[in-house]
Short mmCIF file of all heavy atoms in Angstrom, two decimals:
data_model
loop_
_atom_site.label_atom_id
_atom_site.label_comp_id
_atom_site.label_asym_id
_atom_site.label_seq_id
_atom_site.Cartn_x
_atom_site.Cartn_y
_atom_site.Cartn_z
N ALA Y 54 91.74 121.47 179.41
CA ALA Y 54 92.34 120.55 178.44
C ALA Y 54 92.44 119.15 179.02
O ALA Y 54 92.17 118.16 178.33
CB ALA Y 54 93.71 121.07 178.01
N ALA Y 55 92.82 119.06 180.29
CA ALA Y 55 92.97 117.74 180.91
C ALA Y 55 91.62 117.03 181.00
O ALA Y 55 91.52 115.83 180.73
CB ALA Y 55 93.59 117.89 182.30
N LEU Y 56 90.57 117.78 181.35
CA LEU Y 56 89.23 117.17 181.43
C LEU Y 56 88.76 116.72 180.05
O LEU Y 56 88.21 115.63 179.89
CB LEU Y 56 88.22 118.18 182.00
CG LEU Y 56 88.37 118.49 183.50
CD1 LEU Y 56 87.39 119.58 183.91
CD2 LEU Y 56 88.15 117.23 184.32
N TRP Y 57 88.98 117.56 179.07
CA TRP Y 57 88.60 117.26 177.68
C TRP Y 57 89.22 115.92 177.26
O TRP Y 57 88.55 115.02 176.76
CB TRP Y 57 89.10 118.40 176.79
CG TRP Y 57 88.81 118.29 175.32
CD1 TRP Y 57 89.51 117.59 174.40
CD2 TRP Y 57 87.75 118.94 174.62
NE1 TRP Y 57 88.96 117.74 173.16
CE2 TRP Y 57 87.88 118.57 173.26
CE3 TRP Y 57 86.71 119.79 174.98
CZ2 TRP Y 57 87.01 119.03 172.27
CZ3 TRP Y 57 85.85 120.25 173.99
CH2 TRP Y 57 86.00 119.87 172.66
N VAL Y 58 90.53 115.83 177.48
CA VAL Y 58 91.25 114.62 177.06
C VAL Y 58 90.77 113.41 177.85
O VAL Y 58 90.47 112.35 177.27
CB VAL Y 58 92.78 114.81 177.22
CG1 VAL Y 58 93.51 113.50 177.01
CG2 VAL Y 58 93.28 115.86 176.23
N SER Y 59 90.63 113.54 179.16
CA SER Y 59 90.25 112.35 179.95
C SER Y 59 88.85 111.88 179.57
O SER Y 59 88.62 110.68 179.44
CB SER Y 59 90.26 112.59 181.46
OG SER Y 59 91.05 113.66 181.78
N PHE Y 60 87.91 112.81 179.41
CA PHE Y 60 86.55 112.38 179.09
C PHE Y 60 86.51 111.69 177.73
O PHE Y 60 85.99 110.59 177.58
CB PHE Y 60 85.57 113.56 179.11
CG PHE Y 60 84.19 113.17 178.68
CD1 PHE Y 60 83.33 112.53 179.57
CD2 PHE Y 60 83.75 113.41 177.38
CE1 PHE Y 60 82.05 112.13 179.18
CE2 PHE Y 60 82.47 113.01 176.98
CZ PHE Y 60 81.63 112.38 177.88
N LEU Y 61 87.08 112.35 176.72
CA LEU Y 61 86.94 111.83 175.36
C LEU Y 61 87.73 110.56 175.13
O LEU Y 61 87.39 109.75 174.28
CB LEU Y 61 87.33 112.91 174.36
CG LEU Y 61 86.35 114.10 174.36
CD1 LEU Y 61 86.93 115.29 173.65
CD2 LEU Y 61 85.01 113.69 173.74
N ARG Y 62 88.82 110.39 175.90
CA ARG Y 62 89.55 109.13 175.76
C ARG Y 62 88.92 108.03 176.60
O ARG Y 62 89.12 106.85 176.35
CB ARG Y 62 91.02 109.30 176.16
CG ARG Y 62 91.82 110.04 175.11
CD ARG Y 62 93.28 109.76 175.28
NE ARG Y 62 93.72 109.93 176.66
CZ ARG Y 62 94.99 109.94 177.03
NH1 ARG Y 62 95.94 109.79 176.13
NH2 ARG Y 62 95.32 110.10 178.28
N GLY Y 63 88.20 108.45 177.63
CA GLY Y 63 87.68 107.47 178.58
C GLY Y 63 86.32 106.90 178.20
O GLY Y 63 85.92 105.85 178.71
N VAL Y 64 85.61 107.56 177.30
CA VAL Y 64 84.29 107.09 176.90
C VAL Y 64 84.37 106.56 175.47
O VAL Y 64 84.91 107.24 174.60
CB VAL Y 64 83.26 108.25 176.99
CG1 VAL Y 64 81.90 107.80 176.49
CG2 VAL Y 64 83.17 108.75 178.42
N PRO Y 65 83.84 105.37 175.20
CA PRO Y 65 83.94 104.81 173.84
C PRO Y 65 83.26 105.72 172.82
O PRO Y 65 82.23 106.33 173.12
CB PRO Y 65 83.19 103.48 173.94
CG PRO Y 65 83.13 103.16 175.39
CD PRO Y 65 83.18 104.45 176.13
N LEU Y 66 83.83 105.77 171.63
CA LEU Y 66 83.27 106.59 170.56
C LEU Y 66 81.81 106.21 170.29
O LEU Y 66 80.96 107.08 170.06
CB LEU Y 66 84.12 106.43 169.29
CG LEU Y 66 83.63 107.18 168.05
CD1 LEU Y 66 83.55 108.67 168.31
CD2 LEU Y 66 84.53 106.89 166.85
N LEU Y 67 81.52 104.92 170.36
CA LEU Y 67 80.15 104.46 170.11
C LEU Y 67 79.18 105.12 171.09
O LEU Y 67 78.12 105.62 170.70
CB LEU Y 67 80.10 102.93 170.26
CG LEU Y 67 78.74 102.27 169.97
CD1 LEU Y 67 78.28 102.58 168.56
CD2 LEU Y 67 78.84 100.76 170.18
N VAL Y 68 79.56 105.15 172.35
CA VAL Y 68 78.71 105.78 173.37
C VAL Y 68 78.61 107.27 173.12
O VAL Y 68 77.53 107.87 173.24
CB VAL Y 68 79.26 105.47 174.78
CG1 VAL Y 68 78.45 106.20 175.85
CG2 VAL Y 68 79.27 103.97 175.03
N GLN Y 69 79.73 107.89 172.73
CA GLN Y 69 79.70 109.33 172.44
C GLN Y 69 78.73 109.63 171.30
O GLN Y 69 77.95 110.59 171.35
CB GLN Y 69 81.09 109.83 172.05
CG GLN Y 69 82.07 109.89 173.22
CD GLN Y 69 83.47 110.28 172.78
OE1 GLN Y 69 83.65 111.01 171.81
NE2 GLN Y 69 84.46 109.78 173.48
N LEU Y 70 78.76 108.78 170.26
CA LEU Y 70 77.87 108.98 169.11
C LEU Y 70 76.42 108.87 169.54
O LEU Y 70 75.57 109.69 169.17
CB LEU Y 70 78.18 107.96 168.02
CG LEU Y 70 79.44 108.21 167.19
CD1 LEU Y 70 79.89 106.95 166.48
CD2 LEU Y 70 79.17 109.33 166.18
N LEU Y 71 76.11 107.85 170.34
CA LEU Y 71 74.73 107.66 170.79
C LEU Y 71 74.30 108.83 171.68
O LEU Y 71 73.18 109.32 171.56
CB LEU Y 71 74.62 106.33 171.55
CG LEU Y 71 74.75 105.09 170.65
CD1 LEU Y 71 74.92 103.82 171.49
CD2 LEU Y 71 73.54 104.97 169.73
N LEU Y 72 75.20 109.28 172.55
CA LEU Y 72 74.90 110.42 173.42
C LEU Y 72 74.53 111.64 172.59
O LEU Y 72 73.50 112.28 172.82
CB LEU Y 72 76.11 110.76 174.28
CG LEU Y 72 76.24 110.07 175.65
CD1 LEU Y 72 77.53 110.48 176.32
CD2 LEU Y 72 75.04 110.42 176.51
N VAL Y 73 75.39 111.94 171.60
CA VAL Y 73 75.15 113.11 170.77
C VAL Y 73 73.84 112.95 170.01
O VAL Y 73 73.00 113.86 169.96
CB VAL Y 73 76.32 113.34 169.80
CG1 VAL Y 73 75.96 114.37 168.74
CG2 VAL Y 73 77.55 113.79 170.57
N TYR Y 74 73.63 111.76 169.47
CA TYR Y 74 72.46 111.50 168.64
C TYR Y 74 71.16 111.67 169.42
O TYR Y 74 70.18 112.23 168.94
CB TYR Y 74 72.55 110.08 168.07
CG TYR Y 74 71.54 109.77 167.02
CD1 TYR Y 74 71.52 110.49 165.82
CD2 TYR Y 74 70.62 108.75 167.20
CE1 TYR Y 74 70.60 110.20 164.84
CE2 TYR Y 74 69.69 108.44 166.22
CZ TYR Y 74 69.69 109.18 165.04
OH TYR Y 74 68.77 108.87 164.05
#
Side-chain angles (χ1 to χ4, degrees):
Chain Y
L56 288 176
W57 180 278
V58 170
S59 339
F60 176 79
L61 293 165
R62 285 201 312 191
V64 176
L66 178 59
L67 183 58
V68 176
Q69 288 175 31
L70 284 162
L71 290 168
L72 270 177
V73 168
Y74 190 62

